[in-house]
Amino acid sequence: MSPRRCLLASFVAGALLSPPRAHAQPPDREGVRRAVLDYVEGFYDGDSTRLLRSVAPFVRKIGYYRASPDSAYRPSAMSFPDGFMSYARGVREGRNHTPAGAAKEIALLDVQDQTASAKLTAWWGTDYLLLARHDGRWMITHVLWQSPPAR
């Protein structure tokens, strides 16, 4: 057998004897997008069910807001479930208002099999979200946000 045929035969034999490769599942981008949508619409509509479905019980939400465009940023933390549910209740009772046509832009930054990150542009500013899969569901574990920057 010629060296070329021998090399070809070795390659074919190696390919046939190699164990089959597991096919990786594509990232669950839609599941991550749904979790972020539940989060923002939970706040917009005052829907505590959507917040409970999309936010991990141990979530950390820290933000920086300004009372006016010319004031300095101030840190703010929102507790879960108390702060989240209080805000949702305020929307339902008319104390908190979502502006008509409020922004709701979701950008998925990275989606892997267990963790993901997303950017949400909402009427209150920008949220950077970290998510993890818990019991088969995507849940938000961390939120870092800020009011819109001065223009």
Side-chain angles (χ1 to χ4, degrees), residues 113-141:
D113 59 339
Q114 182 65 36
T115 60
S117 61
K119 176 183 176 183
L120 167 67
T121 304
W123 73 263
W124 58 75
T126 303
D127 286 18
Y128 291 95
L129 309 163
L130 296 179
L131 300 92
R133 193 185 295 268
H134 290 276
D135 297 325
R137 269 190 7 239
W138 286 102
M139 305 288 287
I140 296 163
T141 62

Side-chain angles (χ1 to χ4, degrees), residues 11 57 67 110 125:
F11 176 75
D110 187 33

Side-chain angles (χ1 to χ4, degrees), residues 45-103:
D45 300 336
D47 188 339
S48 56
T49 301
R50 292 183 88 168
L51 291 170
L52 290 169
R53 185 169 58 208
S54 63
V55 178
F58 51 85
V59 69
R60 294 292 176 251
K61 182 172 181 174
I62 307 291
Y64 297 88
Y65 76 96
R66 296 197 233 196
S68 66
D70 58 339
S71 65
Y73 284 106
R74 292 185 176 161
S76 173
M78 182 178 270
S79 64
F80 188 86
D82 297 343
F84 282 65
M85 296 306 125
S86 176
Y87 187 90
R89 190 171 39 261
V91 170
R92 289 191 310 273
E93 294 172 357
R95 289 189 315 276
N96 300 328
H97 300 282
T98 301

Side-chain angles (χ1 to χ4, degrees), residues 5 7 25-26 39 70 72 84 88 106 115 117 143-144 149:
R5 282 190 176 188
L7 181 62
Q25 292 283 12
Y39 167 82
D70 58 339
F84 282 65
I106 298 169
T115 60
S117 61
V143 181
L144 179 65

